[in-house]
Amino acid sequence: MTFIADALSRVKPSSTLAVTTKVQELRAAGVDIISLGAGEPDFDTPDNIKNAAITAINCGKTKYTAPDGIAELKTAICAKFKRENSLSYDPKQVIVSSGGKHILFNALMATLNPNDEVLIPAPYWVSYPDMVRLCGANPVVIETTFESRFKITAMQLEAAITPKTKWIIFNSPSNPTGAGYSWDELKTLTDVLLRHPHVWVMSDDMYEHITYAPFEFCTPAQVEPALKARTLTVNGVSKAYAMTGWRIGYAGGPQTLISAMIKVQGQSTSNACTISQWAAVEALNGPQDYIIASRAAFARRRDLVVGMLNGIAGIDCPVPEGAFYVYPSIKGLIGKVTKQGQHIDNDEIFCIELLKSEGVAVVFGAAFGLSPNFRISYAASDEVLTNACVRIARFCEGLE
Ligand SMILES: Cc1ncc(COP(=O)(O)O)c(C=O)c1O
C-alpha cells in the first residue's frame, strides 16, 4: 500500500509539459534549442485587456467573487455565445473557471461514476483520457486515420456507444491535428447522438477563433439544437486572446450540470482570479481586432510549415483547418537509421533523436494516441519556423 492515491497510478504525467521541462533543462545547459512543443500563442496579451486588469487592481477589485464568476463576465459570455454561436444561455447556465482545463475537469468530476465510459476521438488532447481516469471512469478511444484526416465517422461513433457511455468529448479544431469538422460532417455525428439520449456532449471549442478560410467553425449545440439540453459548450480566452497565463475558461450548459460544477468548484478552488475575470470581460466585450490579426499570422505560418514539411522525403503533412498545430506522418521514415546507428522504430524515438541532433523540440504522436506522427506548434515567428524546418529536413535527409 502506498500513501499516494490509487487513482493516480492510472494517470500519466502530461507529455507536452515533459517536453517543455526537457527544453528548459537543455537550454540551461547552454544547448541551442528551438521549441515547437508548447501549445500557446507567442503573441502578447492585447493592451486593452492588460489595461482592464490594471484598472481592476487600482479600483480594488481584488477580493473573492461568487464561485461561478462575476455577473459582468457571465453576461459577456452569454452575449458571446449568442453573437458568435447563435446559442442562448441564461447567466445561470454559465460558469467561469480557472482555464478551459479546469472547466473540463469540473464537468467530469461532477458527473462521472466508476466504470462510466467517455468517448474520446484520437488523436486527442493529452489531458482528456487522464482526467477521465482521475475521476475513476474509463476513456474509450475512437481511432481515426491519416486518410480520414483525423476525423471520426458516424459509423465509428455508433459502434463505440454502449449503455455505459456518459460523454463524448468533441474538439474541433483539434489539438493536436488542427482538424476541424464542417457543419455537414458534424451533422452526421449529431444525428447519431440524437438516437442515444443517455450520451452527453462536451464540446471543447478552445480553438474556435483560430480557423482558416474556407473552413467555418461550428459547435454541436448550434448544428443540432435538440442536443443543447445535454451539451456542455466549453470555451475560454487562453488561445483566442493570447491569455494562457490569466487562467480563465468558461462553459454554457444545462443548469443542473452547471450547478453541479459550481458545487465542485465551490469546495475546491472557488472563483477564478478576480483580476483575470475583469480582463476577460474586456476581451469578450472590447475590440476584436487581435483575433483577426493573429488569425492572419497563423494562416501564413501554417502555409509556411506545411509547405516546407511536405518538401521533405518521408514526411506527409495534411493542411489543417484550424488551431496552430500540424500533425505530419513520418511513416516514410520508420525503419531508417540515424548516423549514430539509432533505429527510428517509432515516433517517440524520432522526436528524441531530432532533439538530440538538431535541437528541435516537438511532441511525438503516441502521446496523442495516433502514430507514427509528431506535433508541431507553429505559434512562433516565421524565422524560427523556417529555421526549425531546415533542421528537420537536415535530420531526415541524414537518415539511411
Ligand atoms: C484542446 C484544448 N482544450 C483545453 C485546453 C486548456 O486551455 P486553458 O489553458 O484555458 O486551460 C487546451 C490547452 O492547451 C487545449 O489545447
Side-chain angles (χ1 to χ4, degrees), residues 39 99-101 104 125 128 171 175 204 206-207 238-239 247:
K101 196 176 216 173
L104 297 164
W125 181 46
Y128 298 146
N171 176 218
N175 177 1
D204 179 345
M206 291 300 291
Y207 295 94
S238 300
K239 317 284 173 171
R247 312 308 304 133

Side-chain angles (χ1 to χ4, degrees), residues 182 211-217 302 321:
S182 68
T211 55
Y212 312 112
F215 177 78
E216 282 180 27
F217 172 83
R302 174 195 68 163
E321 287 92 3

Side-chain angles (χ1 to χ4, degrees), residues 312 339 357-358 387-399:
I312 303 172
K339 288 199 181 76
S357 60
E358 290 290 347
N387 190 355
C389 290
V390 167
R391 293 189 194 192
I392 294 171
R394 192 162 56 210
F395 173 71
C396 295
E397 280 152 18
L399 299 174

Side-chain angles (χ1 to χ4, degrees), residues 16 38-40 97-104 124-128 131 171-176 204-207 234-239 243-245 247-250 324-325 375:
T16 43
E40 61 182 344
S97 301
S98 302
K101 196 176 216 173
H102 190 206
I103 288 278
L104 297 164
Y124 43 72
W125 181 46
V126 286
S127 297
Y128 298 146
M131 281 189 193
N171 176 218
S172 164
S174 141
N175 177 1
D204 179 345
D205 298 351
M206 291 300 291
Y207 295 94
V234 181
N235 215 314
V237 296
S238 300
K239 317 284 173 171
M243 291 177 71
T244 47
R247 312 308 304 133
I248 296 289
Y250 58 86
F324 39 69
Y325 308 106
R375 186 193 79 174

Side-chain angles (χ1 to χ4, degrees), residues 121-124 142-153 156 171 174 176-181 316-321 326-329 370-374:
Y124 43 72
I142 309 179
E143 288 179 2
T144 65
T145 60
F146 180 87
E147 290 70 29
S148 73
R149 286 297 181 262
F150 313 119
K151 295 178 201 175
I152 60 166
T153 63
Q156 282 183 298
N171 176 218
S174 141
T177 65
Y181 288 74
D316 198 350
C317 186
V319 182
E321 287 92 3
V326 287
Y327 199 67
S329 161
L370 184 81
S371 292
N373 292 68
F374 66 96

